Amino acid sequence: MTAAQAPAGTSPSRDEAAARRAILPHRSYRTLPSTATGAFAALACTVLVELALALYFAPLARTLTRADASVLQRMGFPVGLESTAFLGKALTALTFTMPVHRYLELVLWILACLAGIVVFTVLKSPPAPLRYFVNFNLLIVCSEATYLLFAGHLGYSARGFSVLMLRTMIVTWFVIPAFVGAMVALFPFRAWETAAVIVVCVGYDFLLEGVRYAAFAALLTHTGPILMSDLFLLYGPLLDIIPIIGIFAIALAYLSRRMQTSVGAWEWL
Amino acid sequence: MVVTILHLWVLFVIVIMTLYAVRHWYFTLDRMMMRQRPYFQDLYDNDLPPVTVIVPMHDEEAVARNVLDAIVRGDYPHGLLEIIPVDDHSGDGTAAILREYGERYAFVKPLYVATGLRGKPNALNLALQEASNEIVMVFDADYTPGRGILRELAMAFVDPEVGAVMGRVVPQNTSRNLLTRLLSLERSGGYQVDQQARYNLDLFPQYGGTVGGFRRSVVLSLHGFDAQMLAEDTDLTARLFTNGWKVVYANRAECYEEVPISWEARFRQLRRWSRGHNRALYRNISNMLRAPRLSFRQRCDGILTLAVYAIPPILLSGFLANMLLFLMGALSVWSAVALGFFVVAYSAFGNFGPVYEIGAAEVLDGARQRLYLLPYLFYLFLFNSWAVTSGLLDTLGDGIKRRSPLWEKTTRSSGDRNAVA
Amino acid sequence: MLLLSVVVVFAAVFALPLLPGFLEIVRPRDCKALNVDQGYVRDPHFFGESSRAKIRSYLQETHGQMPFLARFLSRRSEFAFADARIEIKDGQTARNVLLAEECIVFGDGARVLDAYSAGTMLLGNGVAARTLLCDGPMSLGEDCRIDRWIDARGDITVGHGSVLGSSATTAQRLELSAGVRFGRAFGLPVVTLSGASTGLPGQTRANAEVVADGAQVDGDLIARRDLRIGDGCRIRGSVKAHGALVIGSGSAIAGNVIARADAWVGDSVTVGGHLFCEGDLRLGDGTRIGNAVRHKSVYCGKHLELGNGVRIFGWVVTEPLGRAIA
């Protein structure tokens, strides 16, 4: 017999390398074609974002603080604004007052925290990491209450805390592009994807920082300084990076999906 | 004065963490985009070396058949194979199962240990005395070796410098719960990227003691395994390197394992690893610094690898120092932010991989939605830190009280296995 | 209440990027274990044997009814069958998966996707194909081009300048003419035919460790840097060089040879074990690796060049393409 005529396009490829690329490498043999484009895009984007931040962080921070103050005032929280400076730029920080804790109150806080720690140590039903996290919070509050009991006051007043938060916010803005840029440089994102990930992370952090600054001020006007160190240490800069990794993870999942359907994207070891 | 000391301590912690962050960043870059060093799996041989497979077991009736069947089913010629399952003080039906296999297959030679020390190192030492072959493979009882894995691992020994080989561990019960899913992420980062990069760069790949093998004569010349050592695999790795031998990593030699399914079991496992690892650090650090055959890079990587279980307590201490500085009103904003980033980025202490390393491993592995779990690794931070710190305190206690640690077995989930992708 | 609403807004903003992860925890979609193929074994004939098994099962399912459509090499293809002999004339193109019981003949310049012959297979000059499978001997003319792989149970003879894709395997003799390029080759043995002499001497750095001509070494030989083994040496163990390696003509190494960088193997060298080279590798005329009883391998991480009359009993693996010297 003789075979039928083949339509154009079904003939074997003339590209020798295509022969190997036709098969998706097993995960243990996979690697990526080394390219400086991704790294360059990440570096360039990071530098640009850092430059933009250096130029505009002060007006941005002022805008956020004013927005926070305006929203909180409308909601009836007793907050105001005052001038401060950081990295040579004039800024505005939220001002608020906190109730003062009496000795008995502090003792009760200490006892309640200790009781909570005992309960969450004995309890077995919530998953261990959750119990550890609750206990850690309680431990910090308990430590702070003890410190307050003996020292009489914390190292930070309401104003000091507000300035600290504001400065932390700005430092975090500067750190995030470098951190995210270093991470995305490792992956074969397209240049616009690299830029998008960095910009989205920074943009998201503006929002998070702004909302958090307001939330902390509102909380402290009600609770007093007892929660101050817990808020800063566990829900301060530590917290920023978790959703940033969340955004990074979403980008990675998108990238991974694209890579799995594109056999030619991979190289064999 | 106190404030200065605290600031210096936080600075020290940040320097250490930066060192690790840069190291793992480079590992990830190397694995993702640089030339990968080939392993010996492409060498085909009809003239294979005889091999002894040791499977230490303590109360393993739930999984004993599975591992033995898997090894017997393998493509390694039975004439070149010797299997020594070690019944190590079992109180369940393990011994009966081993007896059954011993009667069924001439090359299965069970070893029953009912007196003396209990624990994997001692079981391995006793089995090494019985082993008749130079190449020895070790699998844990909850592992399921594939058909071709023995051949893949055995090929490493064509290199006369190779003292030990390690394959890749892949969790099988991943879908069980959040813990197993997070552990699966950790494992991927640790093997697919970390181990492979260290092999690529000729640094310090670890013999993990579960899917791997070694030369019997070499281990015996190094006086076997230390029966007091809970991390006998890490200890062996360090001793091999300091004595001029190499450990190679076989990324394609994949083997299923069961990861702990309960937080309690995971806590005990991490604590045991930390206790053993820190002891191995204490024991080998001076040899590592003086070993003439190690290059500067290997020496540095070896020390950083041995020290990984000292890092969580150091990181925690940095956190506590920052807390004191906060209470005193002397906190540095920059160090607070830096430390916060390191705490979250390094939450996976089991295989000590930062999130970008784990992310890279998952992309290489073809993961999709599971990548969304990356930020949830932070959920493990305090749990892991405390487990590892407890292990470090145990090590210190062992040193002060001159006590011997008791081997604690990781609880098995009764052969629970889930569907695969 | 107001305070609570502020805290809730903060928590919501925080949780937003974590939502996909939360959904993945609550309703897992990607939670299965990585698929480790428990039956996987290293087999040079994997492509051929798995395809034979697939074709056999298709033929059983269809009871020989032709043509039929089935999935082959990740693509839905039409299978066409001839009782005895298929002939594709010069310059013709075939789009089917061709099956023949006795023989398939491809004329010069024929183009085909996949073909399986239970007997012999003969290719003229300049034939292009994706995969070729046969149970008897296979002969490829000059300048043939294979996209993926070929596998035969009988001898394979490959004409000058052909390209064998990623794998060429046979259970018997694989003869490569000058200028043939390949990814992986398995034969008992793989033999190179005529061609020019390799000629070029291997280069090592000035601080290379040197084994003098005619020396005899009883154990393993491990060099921390480049290593040059003189002519006519006898090494009873294995050889490993962390740098480049040069093995002089007429030397014999009983064990394995490992080179972390480039390696040059002189004429008429005999290696009893494997030859594993992470850099470029050049095997001189008359080199012999393994023997009819002990099948060994040559692995080359970069470019491999085979001189005249090289005989390798086992597998030749290169990461890029290897070639028999033209």
Side-chain angles (χ1 to χ4, degrees):
Chain A
M1 78 169 249
T2 54
Q5 291 297 309
T10 56
S11 56
S13 164
R14 290 237 162 231
D15 181 6
E16 285 173 20
R20 311 208 75 189
R21 286 196 188 136
I23 306 164
L24 180 68
H26 182 268
R27 56 181 167 263
S28 45
Y29 302 128
R30 279 175 207 169
T31 185
L32 292 159
S34 60
T35 164
T37 321
F40 180 76
L43 183 67
C45 192
T46 303
V47 170
L48 283 176
V49 173
E50 294 283 8
L51 273 175
L53 280 171
L55 289 173
Y56 300 111
F57 81 87
L60 197 67
R62 280 198 298 269
T63 311
L64 274 178
T65 313
R66 283 186 192 130
D68 280 349
S70 158
V71 171
L72 288 177
Q73 281 163 355
R74 278 185 200 174
M75 293 174 86
F77 289 99
V79 296
L81 288 168
E82 70 167 15
S83 298
T84 180
F86 186 53
L87 299 175
K89 303 273 184 175
L91 302 170
T92 48
L94 288 175
T95 55
F96 53 91
T97 50
M98 294 186 290
V100 180
H101 300 295
R102 284 167 301 173
Y103 283 107
L104 183 62
E105 201 181 331
L106 290 173
V107 171
L108 284 176
W109 269 106
I110 292 168
L111 291 175
C113 288
L114 289 176
I117 289 170
V118 170
V119 168
F120 277 96
T121 306
V122 174
L123 272 182
K124 295 291 172 206
S125 62
L130 211 58
R131 285 188 279 127
Y132 281 51
F133 187 70
V134 172
N135 272 349
F136 201 58
N137 278 281
L138 293 172
L139 197 65
I140 291 174
V141 175
C142 185
S143 308
E144 183 173 329
T146 312
Y147 188 89
L148 275 171
L149 194 66
F150 290 102
H153 61 87
L154 280 181
Y156 290 102
S157 61
R159 184 187 175 281
F161 181 79
S162 178
V163 170
L164 181 72
M165 278 306 298
L166 185 67
R167 290 179 175 188
T168 304
M169 182 162 92
I170 291 162
V171 169
T172 309
W173 290 345
F174 279 104
V175 172
I176 280 177
F179 181 77
V180 177
M183 287 203 297
V184 293
L186 297 166
F187 296 89
F189 287 110
R190 296 179 184 121
W192 72 266
E193 292 168 343
T194 299
V197 174
I198 295 173
V199 169
V200 167
C201 285
V202 175
Y204 167 81
D205 202 58
F206 292 155
L207 178 67
L208 179 72
E209 296 272 13
V211 174
R212 179 172 58 195
Y213 193 23
F216 280 13
L219 264 170
L220 292 175
T221 54
H222 270 71
T223 62
I226 191 74
L227 293 183
M228 199 188 265
S229 56
D230 189 46
L231 285 178
F232 185 83
L233 293 169
L234 282 185
Y235 304 94
L238 190 73
L239 208 70
D240 288 73
I241 182 69
I242 299 172
I244 293 299
I245 290 172
I247 296 170
F248 173 65
I250 292 168
L252 272 192
Y254 161 77
L255 174 76
S256 185
R257 194 174 303 127
R258 192 179 75 208
M259 299 291 289
Q260 301 318 310
T261 51
S262 162
V263 175
W266 296 102
E267 280 198 351
W268 289 76
L269 290 190
Chain B
M1 178 68 176
V2 175
V3 169
T4 310
I5 290 171
L6 289 172
H7 274 306
L8 285 175
W9 181 252
V10 172
L11 186 67
F12 166 73
V13 175
I14 289 171
V15 168
I16 295 281
M17 292 313 297
T18 306
L19 203 63
Y20 274 102
V22 171
R23 173 184 185 244
H24 287 268
W25 188 86
Y26 189 71
F27 284 174
T28 311
L29 183 74
D30 179 86
R31 178 65 187 91
M32 290 295 274
M33 293 186 184
M34 293 190 188
R35 185 177 152 73
Q36 305 297 297
R37 183 177 167 193
Y39 174 70
F40 304 96
Q41 75 257 354
D42 284 324
L43 301 182
Y44 177 82
D45 201 332
N46 72 341
D47 179 36
L48 293 162
V51 159
T52 296
V53 182
I54 301 175
V55 188
M57 299 184 183
H58 170 71
D59 291 343
E60 303 284 10
E61 65 176 2
V63 290
R65 283 179 199 283
N66 178 63
V67 65
L68 292 176
D69 283 340
I71 298 169
V72 168
R73 269 200 309 267
D75 80 329
Y76 216 82
H78 285 184
L80 298 171
L81 192 60
E82 175 187 58
I83 304 174
I84 305 182
V86 187
D87 172 29
D88 183 19
H89 297 80
S90 294
D92 63 356
T94 306
I97 294 171
L98 300 197
R99 206 165 293 120
E100 178 195 323
Y101 277 78
E103 285 164 7
R104 200 189 305 168
Y105 303 104
F107 55 90
V108 178
K109 300 167 183 169
L111 182 64
Y112 305 96
V113 184
T115 55
L117 281 172
R118 181 169 75 75
K120 188 172 169 184
N122 190 52
L124 288 173
N125 283 335
L126 294 171
L128 278 181
Q129 302 300 326
E130 302 295 320
S132 39
N133 300 319
E134 168 66 355
I135 307 296
V136 175
M137 303 289 174
V138 179
F139 291 96
D140 271 5
D142 59 326
Y143 281 55
T144 312
R147 275 196 74 213
I149 199 168
L150 286 181
R151 203 201 65 85
E152 300 251 321
L153 293 171
M155 291 318 294
F157 298 98
V158 303
D159 183 337
E161 269 192 314
V162 169
V165 58
M166 180 65 194
R168 180 178 173 184
V169 175
V170 177
Q172 187 172 23
N173 53 344
T174 312
S175 59
R176 183 66 189 256
N177 54 34
L178 180 61
L179 171 63
T180 57
R181 298 191 71 183
L182 294 177
L183 289 181
S184 167
L185 294 179
E186 263 194 43
R187 291 281 197 279
S188 282
Y191 285 94
Q192 174 69 287
V193 173
D194 205 280
Q195 283 272 58
Q196 178 67 40
R198 280 192 271 160
Y199 175 57
N200 289 343
L201 298 165
D202 201 9
L203 295 174
F204 195 83
Q206 265 178 288
Y207 166 66
T210 49
V211 187
F214 49 78
R215 289 182 200 269
R216 177 173 172 268
S217 60
V218 171
V219 172
L220 288 178
S221 73
L222 299 173
H223 312 296
F225 294 95
D226 181 351
Q228 310 292 333
M229 184 61 75
L230 291 180
E232 82 294 339
D233 41 10
T234 308
D235 184 54
L236 177 65
T237 307
R239 286 190 289 145
L240 285 170
F241 271 104
T242 50
N243 284 281
W245 293 94
K246 302 273 184 200
V247 177
V248 292
Y249 173 63
N251 202 25
R252 182 65 180 87
E254 297 172 331
C255 186
Y256 278 133
E257 67 148 349
E258 260 185 37
V259 288
I261 61 165
S262 76
W263 293 103
E264 289 71 24
R266 175 61 178 163
F267 189 93
R268 283 196 298 273
Q269 186 186 52
L270 259 184
R271 184 173 180 169
R272 190 185 77 219
W273 286 356
S274 167
R275 189 176 188 177
H277 221 91
N278 284 314
R279 192 176 167 126
L281 167 70
Y282 171 72
R283 220 175 111 161
N284 292 290
I285 192 163
S286 61
N287 288 338
M288 191 75 77
L289 288 168
R290 285 176 296 157
R293 291 181 192 169
L294 289 180
S295 66
F296 177 72
R297 287 183 324 135
Q298 287 173 324
R299 226 181 287 260
C300 291
D301 189 58
I303 290 167
L304 288 172
T305 304
L306 287 177
V308 290
Y309 283 93
I311 295 305
I314 289 177
L315 199 51
L316 267 187
S317 72
F319 190 86
L320 292 177
N322 257 354
M323 183 175 143
L324 287 174
L325 286 169
F326 181 89
L327 292 175
M328 291 188 275
L331 189 70
S332 153
V333 174
W334 292 93
S335 70
V337 173
L339 214 59
F341 273 59
F342 285 131
V343 162
V344 179
Y346 273 93
S347 296
F349 290 125
N351 290 84
F352 203 68
V355 283
Y356 43 86
E357 189 173 282
I358 294 171
E362 289 296 332
V363 170
L364 288 168
D365 280 347
R368 295 190 178 190
Q369 291 88 353
R370 75 181 62 189
L371 275 160
Y372 296 144
L373 298 182
L374 278 182
Y376 289 84
L377 284 167
F378 175 67
Y379 185 57
L380 301 175
F381 171 68
L382 283 169
F383 175 84
N384 282 350
S385 297
W386 184 237
V388 172
T389 305
S390 304
L392 178 66
L393 294 175
D394 289 339
T395 315
L396 295 174
D398 293 342
I400 294 164
K401 295 180 183 170
R402 301 194 173 281
R403 69 185 176 202
S404 303
L406 185 70
W407 186 270
E408 273 189 82
K409 178 177 147 1
T410 304
T411 314
R412 309 277 185 239
S413 52
S414 305
D416 166 59
R417 288 181 166 78
N418 301 105
V420 294
Chain C
M1 200 56 176
L2 285 174
L3 181 64
L4 189 66
S5 60
V6 173
V7 173
V8 166
V9 169
F10 167 51
V13 172
F14 168 73
L16 201 62
L18 309 183
L19 200 61
F22 180 73
L23 293 174
E24 177 59 20
I25 292 169
V26 177
R27 297 185 64 183
R29 286 181 291 168
D30 182 22
C31 67
K32 289 178 181 168
L34 285 180
N35 182 21
V36 177
D37 181 359
Q38 292 294 97
Y40 170 77
V41 291
R42 182 75 47 174
D43 178 8
H45 303 285
F46 171 77
F47 290 134
E49 291 307 322
S50 61
S51 297
R52 280 187 186 91
K54 190 172 273 184
I55 290 169
R56 265 198 301 273
S57 78
Y58 285 156
L59 290 175
Q60 270 178 0
E61 282 169 22
T62 57
H63 306 292
Q65 202 108 45
M66 291 288 161
F68 64 90
L69 281 170
R71 212 165 170 74
F72 193 68
L73 299 176
S74 327
R75 191 181 294 185
R76 203 163 169 77
S77 306
E78 185 185 73
F79 280 68
F81 183 76
D83 281 345
R85 183 183 167 90
I86 297 178
E87 187 173 350
I88 306 294
K89 297 205 170 96
D90 291 359
Q92 260 201 333
T93 304
R95 65 174 177 175
N96 335 52
V97 177
L98 305 174
L99 308 176
E101 278 187 353
E102 287 178 12
C103 180
I104 303 182
V105 179
F106 299 101
D108 291 350
R111 304 183 80 184
V112 63
L113 279 176
D114 311 299
Y116 172 41
S117 165
T120 58
M121 192 173 280
L122 301 170
L123 282 76
N125 296 332
V127 174
R130 188 169 65 164
T131 61
L132 298 176
L133 182 62
C134 104
D135 292 350
M138 183 187 290
S139 167
L140 282 76
E142 293 185 359
D143 297 317
C144 290
R145 187 177 292 271
I146 307 299
D147 244 14
R148 293 202 184 175
W149 50 262
I150 60 173
D151 181 82
R153 285 182 174 157
D155 291 350
I156 298 180
T157 312
V158 187
H160 180 279
S162 293
V163 178
L164 299 181
S166 56
S167 171
T169 52
T170 167
Q172 296 189 29
R173 187 180 168 95
L174 172 59
E175 286 185 358
L176 307 176
S177 299
V180 170
R181 285 177 286 171
F182 58 90
R184 295 174 172 223
F186 185 91
L188 297 173
V190 176
V191 183
T192 53
L193 300 174
S194 60
S197 173
T198 52
L200 294 174
Q203 298 295 311
T204 50
R205 281 170 289 218
N207 67 346
E209 292 181 30
V210 177
V211 178
D213 291 353
Q216 193 158 317
V217 179
D218 283 333
D220 295 334
L221 190 59
I222 298 171
R224 303 270 144 221
R225 44 186 196 264
D226 292 357
L227 173 65
R228 176 180 282 272
I229 296 173
D231 295 343
C233 292
R234 295 280 174 277
I235 315 285
R236 297 248 165 86
S238 294
V239 172
K240 180 172 182 183
H242 284 264
L245 171 68
V246 173
I247 301 176
S249 300
S251 292
I253 295 160
N256 305 300
V257 175
I258 316 270
R260 296 290 324 271
D262 299 341
W264 292 267
V265 177
D267 297 344
S268 305
V269 167
T270 308
V271 177
H274 301 281
L275 205 165
F276 186 88
C277 170
E278 292 186 30
D280 293 334
L281 173 64
R282 177 186 282 254
L283 299 186
D285 297 350
T287 303
R288 189 186 171 102
I289 314 286
N291 58 45
V293 180
R294 300 173 70 200
H295 304 162
K296 298 294 174 181
S297 304
V298 172
Y299 173 88
C300 172
K302 291 185 180 168
H303 297 283
L304 168 67
E305 290 190 347
L306 305 177
N308 300 333
V310 170
R311 293 163 73 85
I312 300 162
F313 290 84
W315 211 357
V316 187
V317 177
T318 67
E319 291 307 333
L321 289 178
R323 75 181 178 108
I325 291 173

